[in-house]
Amino acid sequence: MRSFRPLSAIALACVVLTTACGAEIQEASKNAAGGSVTVTNCGAPLTVDGVPERVVTNDTGITEMMLALGLTDRLVGYTSYPGKERDIATSPWRAEFERVPPLGDAFTREVVQAAAPDFVFAGWNYGFKESTGLTPDWVRSIGAVPYQLTEACRQPGTTRRGVMEPLDALYADLLNLGEIFDVRAKADQLVAQYRAQVAEAAEGAPAGKDPARVFLFDSATPEPFTSGRTAAPSQIIRKAGGTNIFDDLNDSWTTTSWEAAAQRDPQAIVVVDYGAGPQNSVQAKIDQLRAQPLMAGTTAVREDNIIALPYAALVESPRNPRAVVTVAGFLRSKGY
């Protein structure tokens, strides 16, 4: 049974100033009999009756949100992608991962239904896809509650993703999960800690200098896949004192062109470390950048201003604040 607790000062500020904090927690309808709670998820009310007990997640960053909130025992399994071992090996919650059953690399109807969940946490292109039929509506059809990753919320009337600043999306999800799983105090603590961490990193940017131009390089098949304004790397870079060269793209993770990337002459490059096989290693991606005729002449490649971060640090996850600190330290070391 849920007990009602007054909102902390941080939580109250986030309820009142939703555009600043990103979280929009509705007045929850809690009672001794039902223990229901209503939050806002992707712009719509989501009501959950009782604390979920059997949770399935997709992707390492999403799973780490549950682990960071101390909800390991609620997880009956997670799916991820080939190469996820790199994320788990570097995870602050590595020990907790060992306690959660891995459900393989395929987030499918069959896998999800076999786990008999009452709550499924994924996002558009982070598991939810019309092409596979595994959508929030389908999750409801099997009697479970679908929760959508806020970074991947679709913009109204489009399939473009991202409806708020990426770090605000992280805070919104943590606060929502805190309400749903009755661990609001822990959620408040994490959000306050993360905000302070990001603020400290942002204060270290040198005054009187233009922000370093930074290119986020995920992969190329054959055109580069990168971060637009509404994906986590864009705000990570911005808070670290740089500027994402594709911050003008009103989308999340998206494909662009080598011509566009080279024309913007990045001064630093952040490589996403993920993928199975040697062809997807960090070194392979760096070699690809050096071999690409247009990119070879950019400042970042010529001066070897390249850093790699784990995939789970660059999608929405509780690793994002530490990623800000890491990127900030890297830019300072290069004189930016």
Side-chain angles (χ1 to χ4, degrees):
M1 183 174 68
R2 295 174 182 274
S3 59
F4 180 79
R5 297 187 302 277
L7 293 174
S8 69
I10 293 174
L12 181 60
C14 286
V15 171
V16 176
L17 300 174
T18 57
T19 56
C21 298
E24 188 179 339
I25 309 294
Q26 296 188 349
E27 181 64 26
S29 54
K30 300 182 183 179
N31 57 68
S36 65
V37 61
T38 299
V39 299
T40 296
N41 182 219
C42 287
L46 178 70
T47 299
V48 183
D49 295 323
V51 179
E53 297 181 350
R54 297 184 58 82
V55 180
V56 168
T57 57
N58 179 65
D59 221 28
T60 45
I62 288 173
T63 305
E64 286 181 345
M65 271 187 262
M66 297 289 294
L67 304 181
L69 287 166
L71 298 171
T72 308
D73 292 340
R74 302 281 177 178
L75 287 161
V76 294
Y78 73 96
T79 60
S80 193
Y81 61 94
K84 63 183 177 295
E85 295 80 9
R86 302 184 193 185
D87 270 351
I88 295 173
T90 60
S91 177
W93 302 276
R94 183 176 179 177
E96 284 79 2
F97 266 110
E98 294 177 357
R99 295 169 49 201
V100 183
L103 301 179
D105 300 331
F107 188 67
T108 66
R109 285 182 170 189
E110 293 76 16
V111 167
V112 172
Q113 194 158 17
D118 57 10
F119 189 90
V120 177
F121 185 8
W124 290 107
N125 286 19
Y126 291 87
F128 290 142
K129 295 180 181 179
E130 284 95 352
S131 61
T132 63
L134 210 172
T135 64
D137 284 343
W138 178 83
V139 171
R140 294 185 190 97
S141 78
I142 64 168
V145 174
Y147 187 88
Q148 301 178 54
L149 182 74
T150 297
E151 182 197 24
C153 290
R154 285 176 167 173
Q155 298 172 20
T158 77
T159 57
R160 293 195 303 270
R161 296 173 295 155
V163 294
M164 64 178 69
E165 286 276 40
L167 288 173
D168 286 343
L170 170 64
Y171 305 149
D173 284 334
L174 289 171
L175 295 175
N176 279 348
L177 294 170
E179 288 287 336
I180 292 167
F181 289 92
D182 202 21
V183 289
R184 183 57 189 261
K186 179 63 174 178
D188 287 343
Q189 176 191 0
L190 287 177
V191 171
Q193 172 190 328
Y194 294 157
R195 286 186 181 279
Q197 197 172 26
V198 170
E200 184 176 356
E203 288 173 0
K209 296 184 69 174
D210 290 336
R213 301 182 302 276
V214 183
F215 173 47
L216 187 285
F217 181 46
D218 176 282
S219 56
T221 55
E223 295 300 306
F225 194 62
T226 188
S227 165
R229 182 171 69 251
T230 59
S234 202
Q235 195 176 17
I236 288 171
I237 291 166
R238 194 180 321 127
K239 290 295 186 181
T243 182
N244 173 16
I245 63 170
F246 289 111
D247 198 53
D248 58 327
L249 298 180
N250 182 26
D251 202 351
S252 179
W253 297 85
T254 187
T255 300
T256 183
S257 69
W258 288 120
E259 289 80 4
Q263 285 171 1
R264 300 179 188 207
D265 188 27
Q267 296 163 300
I269 295 174
V270 177
V271 173
V272 186
D273 182 7
Y274 79 100
Q279 72 278 11
N280 292 313
S281 69
V282 169
Q283 188 58 53
K285 293 180 182 181
I286 293 174
D287 291 344
Q288 187 176 23
L289 289 167
R290 290 173 176 159
Q292 215 294 323
L294 295 171
M295 294 301 295
T298 62
T299 302
V301 175
R302 284 190 291 102
E303 298 184 1
D304 198 29
N305 293 341
I306 302 172
I307 184 176
L309 272 74
Y311 168 87
L314 294 167
V315 294
E316 184 194 322
S317 83
R319 295 201 217 185
N320 292 162
R322 173 54 57 183
V324 175
V325 174
T326 300
V327 175
F330 175 72
L331 293 178
R332 299 299 91 74
S333 75
K334 299 296 182 178
Y336 299 115

